[in-house]
Amino acid sequence: MSSMKNKRFNLLLIAVVTLVALWSLWPTWRDYSFSRQLSSLSSQQDSLNYTLSHRNEIEDARQKSLKLGLDLKGGMHLVMEVDQVDLFSEKAWNRDARFDSLMAAVAQEARTSDADVVDLLTAAFKKDNIRLSRYFYDIRNTDSEIQGKLRNEAGDALVRAREIIRNRIDQYGVAEPMITTQGNRKIIIELPGVSDENRMRNLLKGTAKLEFRLLREPDALIRTLDRINSAMAAGTIAAASTGKQSISPLYDLVSVSPGGSAVIDARNRDLVSALLRDAAVRDLLPPDSEMLISARPETGNDALSYHDLYLVKKTPELTGGVITEAKATFGSQGVQPEVLMSMNSEGTSKWARITGANIGKRVAIVLDGAVYSAPVVQSKIPNGNSVINGIQSLEEAKDLEIVLKAGALPAPVRIIEERTVGPSLGADYIRAGFQSMIWGFSAVVIFMIIYYRTAGLAADTALVLNVLIVLSVLAGFNASLSLPGIAGIVLTMGMAVDANVLIYERIREEIADGRTVTAAVTQGYDRAFSSILDSHVTTLAAAFLLYTYGIGPIQGFAVTLMIGTAASLFTSIVVTREIFQFLLSRNKMTAKSFG
Amino acid sequence: MRIFNSTSINFLRYRKIAYGVSLAILLAGFVSLAVKGLNYGIDFRGGSEVVIRFEKDVPVGEVRSVLRDAGVSGTLKQYGLDRSFLLSTVFSGETNDLKLLITSALNARMKDAPHEIVRIDAVGPSIASDLKWSAVKAMVAALLAILLYVGIRFELKFAAAGVVAIFHDVLIVLGLFSLLGGVFDVMPLEMDQSIIAAFLTIAGYSITDTVVVYDRIRERIRNQKPSEYERIFNESMNQTLSRTIITSGTTLLTVFVLFLFAGPAIRGFAFAVFAGILIGTYSSIFVAAPLVFDWLRLSKTPVRLRGSSKS
């Protein structure tokens, strides 16, 4: 081990590792000093000039610097799930009540377990002795062929959903978002430093399914409401009730104006929409019809808020797939925000035909099942333009613009996990993490010096290098540092010196047995190696498994623990040994050097 | 400096007492697990947690009643940060509605104490079941991996006793979590992902101390008569006592620092690792090595050893 050549190699290795670590952390240092520099400049003009003149360097440093995790910087971690049950239901043909009840059961199961939806579906169909081909694809397909097709469908939907969500986030403007898929229905979204989380959630949540649907005639609406009302009064519908017995239960919730339009009090909106979801109510509607509620309430003459109730055709005349461009603006009076849309050529010709054939009728503009407006068609629209009004704020108009541009999701997505940390708590975490690092480091360093003197100092030098290596690997691989990650570093500090403790104790024994210091050092390193290796391997194995099975925040801990443990094999053994060799060669080591 | 220099404690003589103590603690833990169970965090049971921080001190009762009147279900507790409360409630993918409900209620009824929602965690039931399985799989895989590795490095009796010691350490900490769960406001000791991380860390670290003792025994037991075993075991443990204690000591130092400074999010983890390392140090001396000794005594065959550490 101590031949000349070997020694050279070790020294070279230490030098290279140290330099690479420093080089990898250099941009982080630059980034830090730039921000210090900027905050020291007093006037805005000065800092703007400074930023402009150093723009490339600042950008470069920021890109390569050590990133802080979401919990330290503040931000959102979201897991969204593509609703595969909905996706498959859309794909099915000749759906009937039996199919619907089966799918509802599957949906219930899928919500509470992590099992594959295709498997759940197959199991549910098997239990009822129904072949998948009765509802899916081709009657000649076997079950396993259909399973494969459904799986492909799900995979495609997931990829499309990811792209659309990425589009929305990019349009909104988030710095460095991370969007990945996991398994066959999950999308994981990391959004650092989002200030307006409410808006972000709304932006991600909607399917953005835009439809143009014809309204049914006013008298059809009135007849339908009457039918529902009498059914409710007869007690055949046990759904929503205002809590009092009445001869016209529906008209306690819905008021009809002579013009044939129906409105509901905003406070009863949830009641009514629950009522409209009731299968018994749906059976009372005219064929190919659907009852929808307006997206936004309007203030009536009596200062109360009302939602409109519409009866529309179920089959849309046109869907949002034809939209090529959307733009949020203010309307003609300059007060009402609206979104202008233009269509591709296919959409333009269809739109012209639809509007030409339905002059004087009303077309509802429906987004995700809510009616934004239902303007009367004045004339044929030849240029493929259309407008969404009924929007409350410019911000909402902007978000509509974003989701319309990004396109509709293939199936609804739901937020199934969220971890959001506000920036103020993030600052607290940074302080806490920094304090633990400083105190942990100091405690270990001081203890080692007191207990082992010179040798302790060597171990401390190695420890500094160890922490440098962990941080530089994180920076170099573009990983981020989170609070659990910091905990991993602090824990590693305590574990890294353990190797030195084992070696030094052995050396003390050898010296006590009367060996020379040089011989004792050699013996100590050789003899302690086996237990050091064992302890490192077991810790590495545990950390690796934690990384493999861990999710989100815990992985940060596993990563720093792994890097730190692996680095400690090098720093605690090779580095300290080289320090001793150097000191021994200058006759600077005595038996006292090991405390 | 030296702390444990040339001790000559007869560890093996106390092993029966140690077995008894260990079994008693384990049993207490099991009883508590059976009766009281564990205090699961939202990672494993699903649900939403919201941390609300006020600008000044407000009584928890007031916040509680304001939220209850607003129709927010769930429990409200002091959180381990200054002027902060933790609201745990059922899972809602519609965090916006939950936030709106909380914010409007607090703004309306507690105008003089401005608040900020600093953290939201919401975990849906499917994710929770996924996390639960991941945790179980990780634990099982870790124990198998360590068993395999120690089995390769040491002979069977040593490896098996080492793994028994790991189980001993992890199960005692688990029992502690059940016994003390929810007792302290500063650390509710909920079972969540970070505690699984703690268990795996304990499992990995538990073997460290054990191996140090084993290594010495293995080195000295070569070509010795079984009648000498007791002396060798005791001497080995005394010779390695200092390093066993110091290695644990340095790690305990850093974990203690984490407990003090790293904030409420890390506190449960730090507590678990701290307890685990303490118990692990004890078990390497009083459980792992004595078990090997008893096994050797009962099987009456001299050890055949692998993995010489003589170089």
Side-chain angles (χ1 to χ4, degrees):
Chain A
M1 273 299 273
S2 54
S3 70
M4 241 3 238
K5 204 170 163 189
N6 213 328
K7 198 173 137 188
R8 277 239 186 86
F9 173 76
N10 279 348
L11 281 175
L12 191 69
L13 188 65
I14 294 168
V16 167
V17 168
T18 313
L19 285 174
V20 168
L22 289 173
W23 173 80
S24 167
L25 286 170
W26 173 243
T28 309
W29 172 247
R30 291 277 288 171
D31 188 34
Y32 175 70
S33 43
F34 276 132
S35 54
R36 283 271 301 272
Q37 182 81 35
L38 278 173
S39 60
S40 70
L41 294 170
S42 48
S43 81
Q44 277 215 299
Q45 193 54 47
D46 282 352
S47 39
L48 189 65
N49 288 343
Y50 185 85
T51 312
L52 286 175
S53 58
H54 294 80
R55 192 165 60 197
N56 288 345
E57 297 162 72
I58 293 178
E59 281 290 309
D60 190 52
R62 182 154 306 159
Q63 225 138 54
K64 291 182 185 150
S65 71
L66 175 61
K67 309 279 183 301
L68 293 180
L70 289 185
D71 53 350
L72 299 180
K73 207 184 322 191
M76 306 173 84
H77 164 95
L78 295 165
V79 180
M80 299 187 87
E81 179 181 60
V82 176
D83 188 342
Q84 289 184 358
V85 175
D86 188 277
L87 180 78
F88 297 153
S89 302
E90 291 290 317
K91 285 275 169 266
W93 47 285
N94 65 26
R95 290 169 59 173
D96 50 22
R98 190 172 180 188
F99 176 85
D100 283 349
S101 76
L102 268 177
M103 284 314 253
V106 172
Q108 194 52 44
E109 255 181 298
R111 239 192 296 281
T112 50
S113 85
D114 203 46
D116 182 51
V117 175
V118 178
D119 290 343
L120 291 177
L121 185 86
T122 316
F125 274 57
K126 268 225 170 64
K127 213 167 67 183
D128 268 25
N129 274 325
I130 306 174
R131 288 190 51 202
L132 287 174
S133 54
R134 182 166 149 191
Y135 295 107
F136 292 108
Y137 301 105
D138 194 317
I139 201 80
R140 289 185 300 270
N141 286 144
T142 64
D143 273 11
S144 61
E145 279 173 347
I146 290 177
Q147 279 183 21
K149 282 186 174 177
L150 287 177
R151 283 214 170 85
N152 288 341
E153 199 77 57
D156 288 350
L158 184 69
V159 172
R160 261 182 305 158
R162 185 191 65 202
E163 287 317 306
I164 284 159
I165 283 175
R166 187 191 302 283
N167 268 333
R168 290 182 188 180
I169 290 169
D170 287 347
Q171 292 261 351
Y172 179 85
V174 177
E176 299 171 17
M178 286 255 303
I179 303 152
T180 48
T181 57
Q182 186 196 45
N184 65 358
R185 56 176 172 163
K186 288 198 197 115
I187 300 171
I188 297 170
I189 305 166
E190 307 250 322
L191 304 168
V194 172
S195 53
D196 193 348
E197 341 145 8
N198 291 6
R199 200 173 154 192
M200 199 74 224
R201 280 188 208 104
N202 286 335
L203 195 66
L204 292 174
K205 198 170 63 178
T207 314
K209 197 162 135 193
L210 179 74
E211 293 165 322
F212 297 91
R213 297 198 195 177
L214 274 177
L215 250 65
R216 296 273 180 215
E217 298 302 324
D219 52 352
L221 172 67
I222 288 169
R223 274 200 308 273
T224 310
L225 288 175
D226 275 339
R227 266 203 304 276
I228 298 172
N229 184 48
S230 21
M232 280 171 80
T236 47
I237 295 171
S241 88
T242 46
K244 49 179 193 258
Q245 276 298 326
S246 111
I247 40 166
S248 55
L250 181 67
Y251 293 120
D252 292 340
L253 299 168
V254 180
S255 26
V256 181
S257 68
S261 66
V263 293
I264 51 173
D265 190 323
R267 284 167 298 187
N268 296 330
R269 187 191 146 173
D270 292 349
L271 270 178
V272 176
S273 63
L275 182 69
L276 295 179
R277 277 197 301 269
D278 194 317
V281 173
R282 285 212 306 254
D283 288 344
L284 297 171
L285 301 181
D288 190 35
S289 299
E290 201 172 7
M291 193 86 87
L292 297 177
I293 301 174
S294 70
R296 300 282 169 255
E298 284 187 18
T299 313
N301 301 334
D302 50 3
L304 290 172
S305 310
Y306 291 100
H307 282 280
D308 284 309
L309 200 59
Y310 298 98
L311 185 67
V312 295
K313 270 180 75 172
K314 203 165 187 167
T315 316
E317 307 301 307
L318 195 61
T319 60
V322 299
I323 300 295
T324 52
E325 184 55 50
K327 186 94 195 77
T329 63
F330 282 108
S332 48
Q333 286 93 25
V335 284
Q336 273 296 333
E338 55 185 35
V339 179
L340 300 176
M341 297 178 291
S342 38
M343 303 177 187
N344 59 18
S345 56
E346 178 204 1
T348 303
S349 58
K350 270 192 182 167
W351 190 226
R353 205 174 55 242
I354 294 159
T355 47
N358 292 298
I359 289 173
K361 291 193 181 134
R362 294 174 74 187
V363 175
I365 297 179
V366 184
L367 189 67
D368 291 350
V371 178
Y372 271 79
S373 56
V376 177
V377 180
Q378 307 285 3
S379 60
K380 180 172 168 176
I381 301 174
N383 55 4
N385 284 348
S386 55
V387 181
I388 302 181
N389 358 62
I391 301 169
Q392 280 178 313
S393 66
L394 186 62
E395 190 177 271
E396 191 192 336
K398 280 238 186 294
D399 290 349
L400 277 180
E401 175 192 321
I402 291 174
V403 299
L404 287 171
K405 269 190 191 158
L409 288 167
V413 291
R414 268 194 309 268
I415 296 177
I416 53 170
E417 182 187 359
E418 175 185 344
R419 296 175 194 272
T420 299
V421 173
S424 73
L425 188 62
D428 280 0
Y429 282 164
I430 292 178
R431 220 180 3 258
F434 196 69
Q435 271 189 333
S436 348
M437 268 174 91
I438 297 288
W439 282 102
F441 184 77
S442 310
V444 171
V445 162
I446 290 167
F447 173 82
M448 289 301 279
I449 291 175
I450 291 175
Y451 206 83
Y452 294 112
R453 300 202 191 156
T454 317
L457 212 52
D460 292 342
T461 313
L463 185 62
V464 174
L465 186 59
N466 184 313
V467 176
L468 265 186
I469 289 174
V470 176
L471 293 176
S472 71
V473 169
L474 288 179
F477 283 90
N478 233 332
S480 57
L481 183 65
S482 59
L483 184 62
I486 292 177
I489 294 177
V490 176
L491 191 66
T492 308
M493 289 177 189
M495 292 187 181
V497 292
D498 286 356
N500 294 107
V501 172
L502 294 179
I503 294 164
Y504 297 170
E505 289 292 323
R506 191 83 210 200
I507 291 175
R508 281 180 175 185
E509 270 180 52
E510 300 290 337
I511 289 174
D513 284 353
R515 283 205 174 72
T516 63
V517 179
T518 315
V521 168
T522 309
Q523 277 288 323
Y525 275 91
D526 288 350
R527 285 278 184 86
F529 184 74
S530 100
S531 28
I532 293 174
L533 187 70
D534 289 339
S535 66
H536 275 73
V537 169
T538 49
T539 305
L540 265 177
F544 175 75
L545 287 165
L546 193 56
Y547 176 77
T548 313
Y549 291 107
I551 291 172
I554 292 307
Q555 282 188 325
F557 167 77
V559 167
T560 52
L561 190 64
M562 272 196 287
I563 306 169
T565 311
S568 123
L569 262 181
F570 169 74
T571 53
S572 311
I573 298 176
V574 180
V575 175
T576 53
R577 190 160 188 176
E578 283 310 313
I579 294 173
F580 293 150
Q581 298 285 19
F582 172 79
L583 292 174
L584 284 167
S585 68
R586 311 235 157 167
N587 287 327
K588 293 231 163 90
M589 295 284 274
T590 62
K592 287 262 182 292
S593 307
F594 289 92
Chain B
M1 183 173 150
R2 283 168 171 68
I3 297 179
F4 304 94
N5 217 7
S6 54
T7 52
S8 53
I9 305 164
N10 188 344
F11 289 107
L12 287 180
R13 183 161 27 131
Y14 302 116
R15 72 179 187 278
K16 294 271 158 50
I17 301 170
Y19 291 162
V21 169
S22 281
L23 283 173
I25 298 175
L26 278 169
L27 201 63
F30 286 146
V31 169
S32 172
L33 280 169
V35 175
K36 189 178 162 188
L38 282 164
N39 191 3
Y40 283 109
I42 56 167
D43 284 354
F44 296 144
R45 65 176 159 83
S48 302
E49 281 186 348
V50 181
V51 177
I52 310 163
R53 176 150 60 186
F54 287 87
E55 274 182 28
K56 58 181 189 194
D57 275 321
V58 287
V60 64
E62 190 184 348
V63 185
R64 211 172 266 156
S65 67
V66 168
L67 290 179
R68 200 181 36 238
D69 294 349
V72 181
S73 61
T75 56
L76 187 83
K77 286 211 271 297
Q78 288 276 4
Y79 188 57
L81 277 171
D82 287 347
R83 310 179 307 281
S84 307
F85 301 100
L86 177 78
L87 170 78
S88 318
T89 173
V90 290
F91 171 71
S92 108
E94 296 289 341
T95 330
N96 281 354
D97 302 351
L98 182 66
K99 260 184 84 169
L100 188 71
L101 204 60
I102 296 169
T103 307
S104 52
L106 291 175
N107 283 347
R109 303 238 332 242
M110 300 177 69
K111 265 201 279 297
D112 49 345
H115 75 280
E116 183 191 1
I117 291 184
V118 291
R119 208 187 81 200
I120 294 178
D121 287 336
V123 180
S126 67
I127 293 267
S129 91
D130 182 22
L131 284 174
K132 214 180 295 182
W133 278 113
S134 297
V136 171
K137 275 190 261 186
M139 281 309 292
V140 171
L143 289 168
L144 283 178
I146 290 170
L147 177 65
L148 194 72
Y149 180 77
V150 183
I152 290 168
R153 297 275 297 163
F154 290 85
E155 71 135 0
L156 175 74
K157 294 186 178 86
F158 283 82
V163 172
V164 168
I166 294 177
F167 269 100
H168 166 274
D169 303 345
V170 171
L171 287 174
I172 286 185
V173 177
L174 190 71
L176 275 182
F177 263 69
S178 170
L179 281 165
L180 303 176
V183 174
F184 306 104
D185 255 355
V186 228
M187 52 170 197
L189 295 186
E190 286 191 332
M191 286 292 294
D192 56 20
Q193 284 186 81
S194 71
I195 305 305
I196 299 301
F199 284 164
L200 285 171
T201 310
I202 294 167
Y205 198 86
S206 167
I207 211 79
T208 306
D209 282 341
T210 309
V211 158
V212 170
V213 180
Y214 278 3
D215 241 10
R216 179 57 56 102
I217 293 171
R218 188 170 59 177
E219 202 177 303
R220 300 200 42 211
I221 209 166
R222 233 163 257 291
N223 314 323
Q224 296 277 4
K225 287 198 272 318
S227 58
E228 295 290 308
Y229 284 176
E230 183 162 5
R231 186 179 56 82
I232 289 167
F233 267 73
N234 269 325
E235 280 176 7
S236 300
M237 284 193 258
N238 278 300
Q239 286 163 346
T240 53
L241 183 62
S242 162
R243 71 201 61 176
T244 309
I245 305 273
I246 301 292
T247 46
S248 301
T250 53
T251 312
L252 282 176
L253 260 186
T254 54
V255 179
F256 187 62
V257 163
L258 282 177
F259 183 83
L260 285 184
F261 295 105
I266 303 287
R267 213 166 279 154
F269 165 85
F271 173 82
V273 176
F274 192 90
I277 291 175
L278 272 185
I279 296 158
T281 311
Y282 152 89
S283 75
S284 65
I285 297 169
F286 287 104
V287 178
L291 276 179
V292 176
F293 172 76
D294 278 332
W295 198 341
L296 289 174
R297 209 168 42 92
L298 293 172
S299 68
K300 296 213 170 44
T301 48
V303 235
R304 285 192 310 280
L305 290 158
R306 282 180 288 172
S308 151
S309 59
K310 280 253 193 306
S311 44

